[in-house]
Amino acid sequence: MTRPASKERYFDDDAMIRRVHREQTVALCGGRSLLLMAAHPVAFEGFFMSTGSLDEPYERLRRAGLVLDTIAWGPRPRADAMLKRVRAMHRAASGEIPRAAGPFPAGTPYRADDPELLFWILASLVDSALLVYERCVRSLDDAEREAYWQDYRVIGKCFGIPYKAMPRTIDDFDDYMARMLASDELHVTPQARELGIQIVLNPPVPLALRPVVELANQVTVGWLPPRIRKMYGLRWDPARAVALRGGAEYAKRVVVPLLPDRLRLVPSARQAAAA
């Protein structure tokens, strides 16, 4: 049964943000999101280096996921308390990039609460989640994509990005991504390349989970924009592209529709449905 939104929660059960992120499969977007984020050298310094994310990357990722999960599913007061701490951390993170990177000279200043840098982080998540959902779960029509983007504008505002600093529509967002992916603002530094190889592609997991990691890596590498993939020095070939496309189509048509909710849906979605 659908419950209406209230002052106690940011989103109701019909919100596209919930409908997309209730799917466990969408978690496969995480590696691609991180590599896109780190491809902006100023954002890399502001969000990965200055906040200490490389010192404890998996714990940081877990906490970031918890904040987003709480905004989407949890009580609004709890989400607001988490966001207050995140915004305080961002305000405290500022400095200058130590070395020239792409078009940015050494000494270029950064602030982790800079709306432009914050938006690149947000955009990397949105672009990756939509891509994985539509290729592995189901296609979205224009109205659904628009609704998802409007939900994410709310999330952007939660993190301190003014509405005027975000694209107004999903078409505007797509134009922004196309411009950024073609621009010289994106430049993978040696440290960002190390992040990609060590943290995203080779996480410390038990041997039994290596097949899952390999699957996630295929998604991460195969669905990176080719120019960004080349910057990271990652290899890809037509045979793997065909295999990934076929596997995604099989998941979309056969696997995901037949999965029971206990395997298909994230815990927050199952708990909301049971409430």
Short mmCIF file of all heavy atoms in Angstrom, two decimals, residues 154-218:
data_model
loop_
_atom_site.label_atom_id
_atom_site.label_comp_id
_atom_site.label_asym_id
_atom_site.label_seq_id
_atom_site.Cartn_x
_atom_site.Cartn_y
_atom_site.Cartn_z
N VAL A 154 16.23 17.14 -5.12
CA VAL A 154 15.95 17.25 -3.67
C VAL A 154 17.17 16.77 -2.88
O VAL A 154 17.58 17.41 -1.89
CB VAL A 154 14.70 16.43 -3.30
CG1 VAL A 154 14.52 16.38 -1.78
CG2 VAL A 154 13.47 17.00 -3.98
N ILE A 155 17.77 15.66 -3.30
CA ILE A 155 18.95 15.15 -2.61
C ILE A 155 20.10 16.14 -2.73
O ILE A 155 20.83 16.40 -1.76
CB ILE A 155 19.33 13.77 -3.18
CG1 ILE A 155 18.28 12.73 -2.77
CG2 ILE A 155 20.72 13.33 -2.67
CD1 ILE A 155 18.52 11.35 -3.31
N GLY A 156 20.27 16.72 -3.92
CA GLY A 156 21.31 17.73 -4.08
C GLY A 156 21.14 18.89 -3.12
O GLY A 156 22.10 19.36 -2.50
N LYS A 157 19.89 19.34 -2.97
CA LYS A 157 19.61 20.43 -2.04
C LYS A 157 19.93 20.00 -0.61
O LYS A 157 20.45 20.81 0.19
CB LYS A 157 18.13 20.81 -2.14
CG LYS A 157 17.75 22.06 -1.35
CD LYS A 157 18.39 23.29 -1.96
CE LYS A 157 17.74 24.58 -1.44
NZ LYS A 157 17.79 24.74 0.01
N CYS A 158 19.68 18.75 -0.27
CA CYS A 158 20.01 18.24 1.06
C CYS A 158 21.51 18.39 1.36
O CYS A 158 21.91 18.64 2.50
CB CYS A 158 19.61 16.77 1.19
SG CYS A 158 17.85 16.44 1.33
N PHE A 159 22.33 18.21 0.34
CA PHE A 159 23.78 18.29 0.53
C PHE A 159 24.31 19.71 0.36
O PHE A 159 25.52 19.92 0.41
CB PHE A 159 24.49 17.35 -0.44
CG PHE A 159 24.46 15.91 0.00
CD1 PHE A 159 23.50 15.04 -0.48
CD2 PHE A 159 25.40 15.43 0.91
CE1 PHE A 159 23.46 13.72 -0.06
CE2 PHE A 159 25.37 14.11 1.33
CZ PHE A 159 24.39 13.25 0.85
N GLY A 160 23.43 20.67 0.15
CA GLY A 160 23.86 22.06 0.10
C GLY A 160 24.02 22.64 -1.28
O GLY A 160 24.56 23.75 -1.43
N ILE A 161 23.54 21.96 -2.31
CA ILE A 161 23.62 22.50 -3.67
C ILE A 161 22.33 23.29 -3.94
O ILE A 161 21.24 22.72 -3.88
CB ILE A 161 23.76 21.38 -4.72
CG1 ILE A 161 24.91 20.44 -4.37
CG2 ILE A 161 23.96 21.97 -6.10
CD1 ILE A 161 25.02 19.23 -5.30
N PRO A 162 22.43 24.58 -4.25
CA PRO A 162 21.21 25.34 -4.54
C PRO A 162 20.52 24.79 -5.79
O PRO A 162 21.18 24.30 -6.72
CB PRO A 162 21.74 26.76 -4.79
CG PRO A 162 23.10 26.79 -4.18
CD PRO A 162 23.65 25.41 -4.30
N TYR A 163 19.20 24.87 -5.82
CA TYR A 163 18.48 24.40 -7.00
C TYR A 163 18.98 25.08 -8.27
O TYR A 163 19.08 24.45 -9.33
CB TYR A 163 16.97 24.65 -6.84
CG TYR A 163 16.29 23.66 -5.93
CD1 TYR A 163 15.52 24.09 -4.85
CD2 TYR A 163 16.38 22.29 -6.14
CE1 TYR A 163 14.88 23.19 -4.01
CE2 TYR A 163 15.75 21.37 -5.31
CZ TYR A 163 15.01 21.83 -4.26
OH TYR A 163 14.38 20.94 -3.42
N LYS A 164 19.31 26.36 -8.19
CA LYS A 164 19.74 27.10 -9.38
C LYS A 164 21.09 26.61 -9.90
O LYS A 164 21.45 26.90 -11.05
CB LYS A 164 19.81 28.60 -9.07
CG LYS A 164 20.86 28.99 -8.04
CD LYS A 164 20.84 30.48 -7.79
CE LYS A 164 21.90 30.88 -6.75
NZ LYS A 164 21.88 32.34 -6.48
N ALA A 165 21.84 25.87 -9.07
CA ALA A 165 23.14 25.34 -9.49
C ALA A 165 23.02 23.96 -10.12
O ALA A 165 24.03 23.38 -10.50
CB ALA A 165 24.09 25.29 -8.30
N MET A 166 21.78 23.43 -10.23
CA MET A 166 21.57 22.11 -10.81
C MET A 166 20.74 22.24 -12.08
O MET A 166 19.88 23.13 -12.17
CB MET A 166 20.85 21.19 -9.81
CG MET A 166 21.68 20.82 -8.59
SD MET A 166 20.80 19.69 -7.47
CE MET A 166 19.79 20.86 -6.54
N PRO A 167 20.95 21.38 -13.08
CA PRO A 167 20.10 21.40 -14.27
C PRO A 167 18.63 21.30 -13.90
O PRO A 167 18.26 20.55 -12.99
CB PRO A 167 20.58 20.18 -15.06
CG PRO A 167 22.00 19.97 -14.62
CD PRO A 167 22.01 20.36 -13.17
N ARG A 168 17.80 22.03 -14.62
CA ARG A 168 16.38 22.09 -14.28
C ARG A 168 15.64 20.82 -14.67
O ARG A 168 14.74 20.38 -13.96
CB ARG A 168 15.73 23.30 -14.97
CG ARG A 168 14.30 23.58 -14.54
CD ARG A 168 13.79 24.87 -15.16
NE ARG A 168 13.82 24.81 -16.61
CZ ARG A 168 12.84 24.31 -17.37
NH1 ARG A 168 11.74 23.81 -16.79
NH2 ARG A 168 12.93 24.29 -18.68
N THR A 169 16.00 20.21 -15.79
CA THR A 169 15.30 19.03 -16.28
C THR A 169 16.30 17.90 -16.55
O THR A 169 17.51 18.13 -16.60
CB THR A 169 14.54 19.33 -17.58
OG1 THR A 169 15.50 19.58 -18.63
CG2 THR A 169 13.64 20.55 -17.42
N ILE A 170 15.77 16.70 -16.79
CA ILE A 170 16.65 15.58 -17.10
C ILE A 170 17.36 15.80 -18.44
O ILE A 170 18.51 15.39 -18.60
CB ILE A 170 15.87 14.25 -17.11
CG1 ILE A 170 16.81 13.05 -17.24
CG2 ILE A 170 14.82 14.23 -18.19
CD1 ILE A 170 17.79 12.87 -16.10
N ASP A 171 16.71 16.48 -19.38
CA ASP A 171 17.39 16.78 -20.64
C ASP A 171 18.56 17.73 -20.40
O ASP A 171 19.63 17.57 -21.01
CB ASP A 171 16.41 17.41 -21.64
CG ASP A 171 15.40 16.41 -22.17
OD1 ASP A 171 15.67 15.19 -22.11
OD2 ASP A 171 14.33 16.84 -22.66
N ASP A 172 18.36 18.70 -19.53
CA ASP A 172 19.46 19.61 -19.18
C ASP A 172 20.60 18.83 -18.50
O ASP A 172 21.77 19.12 -18.72
CB ASP A 172 18.97 20.72 -18.26
CG ASP A 172 17.97 21.64 -18.93
OD1 ASP A 172 17.99 21.75 -20.17
OD2 ASP A 172 17.15 22.25 -18.20
N PHE A 173 20.22 17.87 -17.66
CA PHE A 173 21.24 17.04 -17.01
C PHE A 173 22.02 16.24 -18.04
O PHE A 173 23.26 16.16 -17.97
CB PHE A 173 20.59 16.10 -15.99
CG PHE A 173 21.55 15.11 -15.41
CD1 PHE A 173 22.41 15.47 -14.38
CD2 PHE A 173 21.63 13.80 -15.89
CE1 PHE A 173 23.33 14.58 -13.86
CE2 PHE A 173 22.53 12.89 -15.37
CZ PHE A 173 23.39 13.28 -14.36
N ASP A 174 21.33 15.63 -18.99
CA ASP A 174 22.02 14.86 -20.03
C ASP A 174 22.98 15.75 -20.81
O ASP A 174 24.09 15.32 -21.16
CB ASP A 174 21.00 14.23 -20.98
CG ASP A 174 20.20 13.11 -20.33
OD1 ASP A 174 20.66 12.56 -19.30
OD2 ASP A 174 19.11 12.78 -20.85
N ASP A 175 22.56 16.98 -21.09
CA ASP A 175 23.44 17.92 -21.80
C ASP A 175 24.68 18.24 -20.96
O ASP A 175 25.80 18.32 -21.49
CB ASP A 175 22.69 19.22 -22.12
CG ASP A 175 21.63 19.03 -23.20
OD1 ASP A 175 21.68 18.02 -23.92
OD2 ASP A 175 20.75 19.92 -23.30
N TYR A 176 24.47 18.42 -19.66
CA TYR A 176 25.61 18.68 -18.76
C TYR A 176 26.59 17.53 -18.79
O TYR A 176 27.82 17.73 -18.90
CB TYR A 176 25.08 18.89 -17.34
CG TYR A 176 26.15 18.81 -16.27
CD1 TYR A 176 26.95 19.91 -15.96
CD2 TYR A 176 26.39 17.61 -15.58
CE1 TYR A 176 27.94 19.82 -14.99
CE2 TYR A 176 27.37 17.52 -14.61
CZ TYR A 176 28.15 18.63 -14.32
OH TYR A 176 29.13 18.52 -13.38
N MET A 177 26.10 16.30 -18.68
CA MET A 177 27.00 15.15 -18.69
C MET A 177 27.76 15.04 -20.00
O MET A 177 28.96 14.75 -20.02
CB MET A 177 26.22 13.86 -18.42
CG MET A 177 25.78 13.66 -16.99
SD MET A 177 27.13 13.64 -15.77
CE MET A 177 28.11 12.23 -16.32
N ALA A 178 27.08 15.28 -21.11
CA ALA A 178 27.74 15.21 -22.41
C ALA A 178 28.86 16.25 -22.50
O ALA A 178 29.96 15.96 -22.99
CB ALA A 178 26.73 15.42 -23.53
N ARG A 179 28.59 17.46 -22.01
CA ARG A 179 29.62 18.51 -22.03
C ARG A 179 30.81 18.13 -21.15
O ARG A 179 31.97 18.28 -21.55
CB ARG A 179 29.03 19.84 -21.55
CG ARG A 179 28.09 20.50 -22.53
CD ARG A 179 27.86 21.96 -22.16
NE ARG A 179 27.41 22.13 -20.78
CZ ARG A 179 26.12 22.10 -20.40
NH1 ARG A 179 25.18 21.90 -21.30
NH2 ARG A 179 25.79 22.29 -19.13
N MET A 180 30.52 17.65 -19.95
CA MET A 180 31.61 17.31 -19.03
C MET A 180 32.46 16.17 -19.57
O MET A 180 33.70 16.21 -19.51
CB MET A 180 31.04 16.92 -17.67
CG MET A 180 30.55 18.10 -16.86
SD MET A 180 31.86 19.28 -16.43
CE MET A 180 32.89 18.28 -15.33
N LEU A 181 31.83 15.14 -20.12
CA LEU A 181 32.58 13.97 -20.60
C LEU A 181 33.43 14.30 -21.81
O LEU A 181 34.42 13.60 -22.09
CB LEU A 181 31.62 12.82 -20.92
CG LEU A 181 30.91 12.21 -19.70
CD1 LEU A 181 29.88 11.19 -20.14
CD2 LEU A 181 31.93 11.57 -18.75
N ALA A 182 33.08 15.37 -22.51
CA ALA A 182 33.87 15.79 -23.67
C ALA A 182 34.87 16.89 -23.34
O ALA A 182 35.71 17.23 -24.18
CB ALA A 182 32.93 16.28 -24.79
N SER A 183 34.82 17.42 -22.12
CA SER A 183 35.64 18.58 -21.77
C SER A 183 37.02 18.17 -21.27
O SER A 183 37.24 17.01 -20.90
CB SER A 183 34.94 19.40 -20.69
OG SER A 183 35.08 18.78 -19.42
N ASP A 184 37.91 19.15 -21.25
CA ASP A 184 39.25 18.87 -20.72
C ASP A 184 39.30 19.03 -19.20
O ASP A 184 40.36 18.87 -18.60
CB ASP A 184 40.30 19.78 -21.38
CG ASP A 184 40.09 21.26 -21.09
OD1 ASP A 184 39.07 21.61 -20.44
OD2 ASP A 184 40.91 22.08 -21.52
N GLU A 185 38.15 19.32 -18.56
CA GLU A 185 38.12 19.39 -17.10
C GLU A 185 38.40 18.03 -16.47
O GLU A 185 38.88 17.95 -15.33
CB GLU A 185 36.77 19.90 -16.61
CG GLU A 185 36.54 21.38 -16.79
CD GLU A 185 35.28 21.84 -16.10
OE1 GLU A 185 35.12 21.54 -14.90
OE2 GLU A 185 34.45 22.48 -16.76
N LEU A 186 38.08 16.97 -17.18
CA LEU A 186 38.30 15.63 -16.65
C LEU A 186 39.69 15.16 -17.02
O LEU A 186 40.08 15.15 -18.19
CB LEU A 186 37.24 14.66 -17.18
CG LEU A 186 35.79 15.05 -16.87
CD1 LEU A 186 34.84 13.96 -17.34
CD2 LEU A 186 35.59 15.32 -15.38
N HIS A 187 40.44 14.80 -15.99
CA HIS A 187 41.84 14.39 -16.17
C HIS A 187 42.18 13.45 -15.02
O HIS A 187 42.11 13.84 -13.86
CB HIS A 187 42.75 15.62 -16.16
CG HIS A 187 44.21 15.28 -16.22
ND1 HIS A 187 44.88 15.10 -17.40
CD2 HIS A 187 45.12 15.08 -15.23
CE1 HIS A 187 46.15 14.80 -17.14
NE2 HIS A 187 46.32 14.77 -15.84
N VAL A 188 42.54 12.22 -15.33
CA VAL A 188 42.84 11.23 -14.30
C VAL A 188 44.31 11.35 -13.89
O VAL A 188 45.21 11.13 -14.69
CB VAL A 188 42.53 9.81 -14.80
CG1 VAL A 188 42.93 8.78 -13.75
CG2 VAL A 188 41.05 9.68 -15.13
N THR A 189 44.51 11.72 -12.63
CA THR A 189 45.86 11.86 -12.10
C THR A 189 46.42 10.49 -11.72
O THR A 189 45.66 9.52 -11.60
CB THR A 189 45.86 12.76 -10.86
OG1 THR A 189 45.10 12.09 -9.82
CG2 THR A 189 45.23 14.11 -11.15
N PRO A 190 47.73 10.38 -11.53
CA PRO A 190 48.28 9.09 -11.09
C PRO A 190 47.65 8.58 -9.80
O PRO A 190 47.42 7.37 -9.66
CB PRO A 190 49.77 9.41 -10.89
CG PRO A 190 50.04 10.51 -11.87
CD PRO A 190 48.79 11.36 -11.85
N GLN A 191 47.35 9.47 -8.86
CA GLN A 191 46.72 9.03 -7.62
C GLN A 191 45.30 8.52 -7.86
O GLN A 191 44.87 7.53 -7.26
CB GLN A 191 46.70 10.17 -6.61
CG GLN A 191 48.06 10.44 -5.96
CD GLN A 191 48.00 11.62 -5.03
OE1 GLN A 191 47.61 12.71 -5.43
NE2 GLN A 191 48.38 11.41 -3.79
N ALA A 192 44.56 9.17 -8.76
CA ALA A 192 43.22 8.70 -9.08
C ALA A 192 43.27 7.35 -9.79
O ALA A 192 42.42 6.49 -9.57
CB ALA A 192 42.50 9.73 -9.95
N ARG A 193 44.29 7.17 -10.63
CA ARG A 193 44.44 5.88 -11.31
C ARG A 193 44.72 4.78 -10.28
O ARG A 193 44.19 3.67 -10.38
CB ARG A 193 45.58 5.97 -12.32
CG ARG A 193 45.65 4.79 -13.28
CD ARG A 193 46.67 5.04 -14.38
NE ARG A 193 46.28 6.18 -15.20
CZ ARG A 193 46.95 7.33 -15.25
NH1 ARG A 193 48.05 7.50 -14.52
NH2 ARG A 193 46.55 8.32 -16.02
N GLU A 194 45.50 5.10 -9.28
CA GLU A 194 45.78 4.13 -8.21
C GLU A 194 44.50 3.79 -7.45
O GLU A 194 44.25 2.64 -7.09
CB GLU A 194 46.82 4.70 -7.26
CG GLU A 194 47.20 3.75 -6.13
CD GLU A 194 48.26 4.34 -5.22
OE1 GLU A 194 48.74 5.46 -5.49
OE2 GLU A 194 48.61 3.69 -4.22
N LEU A 195 43.66 4.81 -7.22
CA LEU A 195 42.37 4.57 -6.58
C LEU A 195 41.56 3.56 -7.38
O LEU A 195 41.00 2.61 -6.83
CB LEU A 195 41.59 5.88 -6.47
CG LEU A 195 40.11 5.75 -6.07
CD1 LEU A 195 39.97 5.54 -4.58
CD2 LEU A 195 39.33 6.96 -6.51
N GLY A 196 41.53 3.76 -8.69
CA GLY A 196 40.74 2.88 -9.53
C GLY A 196 41.19 1.44 -9.47
O GLY A 196 40.38 0.51 -9.39
N ILE A 197 42.48 1.26 -9.50
CA ILE A 197 43.02 -0.10 -9.55
C ILE A 197 42.94 -0.77 -8.18
O ILE A 197 42.47 -1.91 -8.04
CB ILE A 197 44.47 -0.08 -10.05
CG1 ILE A 197 44.49 0.38 -11.52
CG2 ILE A 197 45.12 -1.45 -9.92
CD1 ILE A 197 45.88 0.63 -12.07
N GLN A 198 43.36 -0.07 -7.14
CA GLN A 198 43.47 -0.69 -5.83
C GLN A 198 42.15 -0.75 -5.06
O GLN A 198 41.84 -1.75 -4.42
CB GLN A 198 44.52 0.05 -5.00
CG GLN A 198 45.94 -0.09 -5.55
CD GLN A 198 46.97 0.50 -4.60
OE1 GLN A 198 46.65 1.03 -3.56
NE2 GLN A 198 48.23 0.42 -4.99
N ILE A 199 41.37 0.31 -5.12
CA ILE A 199 40.19 0.39 -4.28
C ILE A 199 38.95 -0.11 -4.99
O ILE A 199 38.19 -0.91 -4.45
CB ILE A 199 39.98 1.84 -3.79
CG1 ILE A 199 41.15 2.24 -2.88
CG2 ILE A 199 38.66 1.97 -3.05
CD1 ILE A 199 41.08 3.65 -2.39
N VAL A 200 38.74 0.33 -6.23
CA VAL A 200 37.51 -0.04 -6.93
C VAL A 200 37.59 -1.44 -7.51
O VAL A 200 36.68 -2.25 -7.36
CB VAL A 200 37.20 0.99 -8.04
CG1 VAL A 200 35.97 0.55 -8.84
CG2 VAL A 200 36.97 2.37 -7.44
N LEU A 201 38.71 -1.77 -8.17
CA LEU A 201 38.78 -3.02 -8.90
C LEU A 201 39.36 -4.18 -8.09
O LEU A 201 39.16 -5.34 -8.45
CB LEU A 201 39.60 -2.84 -10.18
CG LEU A 201 39.04 -1.79 -11.17
CD1 LEU A 201 39.91 -1.72 -12.41
CD2 LEU A 201 37.60 -2.10 -11.54
N ASN A 202 40.07 -3.88 -7.02
CA ASN A 202 40.68 -4.95 -6.22
C ASN A 202 40.36 -4.80 -4.74
O ASN A 202 41.26 -4.68 -3.90
CB ASN A 202 42.20 -4.96 -6.42
CG ASN A 202 42.60 -5.42 -7.80
OD1 ASN A 202 42.12 -6.44 -8.28
ND2 ASN A 202 43.44 -4.65 -8.46
N PRO A 203 39.08 -4.80 -4.37
CA PRO A 203 38.74 -4.67 -2.95
C PRO A 203 39.12 -5.93 -2.19
O PRO A 203 39.16 -7.03 -2.75
CB PRO A 203 37.21 -4.49 -2.97
CG PRO A 203 36.79 -5.22 -4.20
CD PRO A 203 37.88 -4.98 -5.21
N PRO A 204 39.42 -5.78 -0.89
CA PRO A 204 39.78 -6.95 -0.08
C PRO A 204 38.54 -7.74 0.32
O PRO A 204 37.86 -7.41 1.30
CB PRO A 204 40.46 -6.31 1.14
CG PRO A 204 39.82 -4.97 1.27
CD PRO A 204 39.50 -4.52 -0.13
N VAL A 205 38.22 -8.77 -0.44
CA VAL A 205 37.04 -9.58 -0.13
C VAL A 205 37.46 -11.04 -0.02
O VAL A 205 38.50 -11.44 -0.55
CB VAL A 205 35.95 -9.44 -1.23
CG1 VAL A 205 35.49 -8.00 -1.35
CG2 VAL A 205 36.47 -9.96 -2.57
N PRO A 206 36.66 -11.87 0.66
CA PRO A 206 36.97 -13.30 0.73
C PRO A 206 36.99 -13.93 -0.66
O PRO A 206 36.33 -13.45 -1.60
CB PRO A 206 35.81 -13.86 1.57
CG PRO A 206 35.28 -12.69 2.32
CD PRO A 206 35.47 -11.50 1.45
N LEU A 207 37.74 -15.00 -0.78
CA LEU A 207 37.88 -15.67 -2.07
C LEU A 207 36.53 -16.06 -2.66
O LEU A 207 36.32 -15.97 -3.89
CB LEU A 207 38.76 -16.93 -1.91
CG LEU A 207 39.11 -17.69 -3.19
CD1 LEU A 207 39.90 -16.80 -4.14
CD2 LEU A 207 39.90 -18.96 -2.84
N ALA A 208 35.59 -16.45 -1.83
CA ALA A 208 34.28 -16.88 -2.32
C ALA A 208 33.52 -15.76 -3.02
O ALA A 208 32.63 -16.02 -3.83
CB ALA A 208 33.45 -17.43 -1.16
N LEU A 209 33.87 -14.51 -2.70
CA LEU A 209 33.18 -13.37 -3.30
C LEU A 209 33.89 -12.82 -4.52
O LEU A 209 33.40 -11.86 -5.14
CB LEU A 209 33.00 -12.25 -2.26
CG LEU A 209 32.05 -12.57 -1.10
CD1 LEU A 209 31.97 -11.38 -0.16
CD2 LEU A 209 30.66 -12.92 -1.61
N ARG A 210 35.02 -13.39 -4.88
CA ARG A 210 35.75 -12.87 -6.05
C ARG A 210 34.91 -12.89 -7.32
O ARG A 210 34.98 -11.95 -8.12
CB ARG A 210 37.04 -13.66 -6.26
CG ARG A 210 38.16 -13.35 -5.28
CD ARG A 210 38.49 -11.88 -5.16
NE ARG A 210 38.80 -11.23 -6.43
CZ ARG A 210 39.08 -9.94 -6.55
NH1 ARG A 210 39.09 -9.16 -5.48
NH2 ARG A 210 39.35 -9.41 -7.72
N PRO A 211 34.09 -13.94 -7.58
CA PRO A 211 33.27 -13.89 -8.79
C PRO A 211 32.33 -12.68 -8.83
O PRO A 211 32.08 -12.12 -9.90
CB PRO A 211 32.49 -15.21 -8.74
CG PRO A 211 33.36 -16.13 -7.94
CD PRO A 211 33.99 -15.25 -6.90
N VAL A 212 31.80 -12.30 -7.66
CA VAL A 212 30.93 -11.12 -7.61
C VAL A 212 31.71 -9.87 -7.95
O VAL A 212 31.25 -8.99 -8.68
CB VAL A 212 30.28 -11.00 -6.21
CG1 VAL A 212 29.43 -9.74 -6.12
CG2 VAL A 212 29.45 -12.24 -5.90
N VAL A 213 32.94 -9.78 -7.41
CA VAL A 213 33.79 -8.63 -7.70
C VAL A 213 34.12 -8.57 -9.19
O VAL A 213 34.11 -7.50 -9.81
CB VAL A 213 35.08 -8.68 -6.86
CG1 VAL A 213 36.07 -7.61 -7.30
CG2 VAL A 213 34.75 -8.52 -5.38
N GLU A 214 34.41 -9.72 -9.77
CA GLU A 214 34.73 -9.75 -11.20
C GLU A 214 33.54 -9.28 -12.04
O GLU A 214 33.71 -8.57 -13.03
CB GLU A 214 35.17 -11.15 -11.62
CG GLU A 214 36.52 -11.56 -11.06
CD GLU A 214 37.62 -10.56 -11.41
OE1 GLU A 214 37.65 -10.10 -12.58
OE2 GLU A 214 38.41 -10.22 -10.52
N LEU A 215 32.33 -9.68 -11.64
CA LEU A 215 31.14 -9.22 -12.34
C LEU A 215 31.02 -7.70 -12.23
O LEU A 215 30.76 -7.00 -13.23
CB LEU A 215 29.89 -9.89 -11.77
CG LEU A 215 28.54 -9.35 -12.27
CD1 LEU A 215 28.41 -9.54 -13.77
CD2 LEU A 215 27.39 -10.02 -11.52
N ALA A 216 31.17 -7.19 -11.01
CA ALA A 216 31.09 -5.75 -10.80
C ALA A 216 32.15 -5.02 -11.61
O ALA A 216 31.91 -3.94 -12.17
CB ALA A 216 31.23 -5.41 -9.31
N ASN A 217 33.35 -5.60 -11.70
CA ASN A 217 34.42 -4.97 -12.46
C ASN A 217 34.09 -4.91 -13.95
O ASN A 217 34.43 -3.94 -14.64
CB ASN A 217 35.73 -5.73 -12.25
CG ASN A 217 36.33 -5.47 -10.88
OD1 ASN A 217 35.90 -4.58 -10.16
ND2 ASN A 217 37.32 -6.27 -10.50
N GLN A 218 33.46 -5.95 -14.46
CA GLN A 218 33.07 -5.94 -15.88
C GLN A 218 32.09 -4.80 -16.14
O GLN A 218 32.20 -4.09 -17.16
CB GLN A 218 32.45 -7.28 -16.28
CG GLN A 218 33.41 -8.44 -16.27
CD GLN A 218 34.59 -8.23 -17.21
OE1 GLN A 218 34.42 -7.96 -18.40
NE2 GLN A 218 35.78 -8.34 -16.68
#
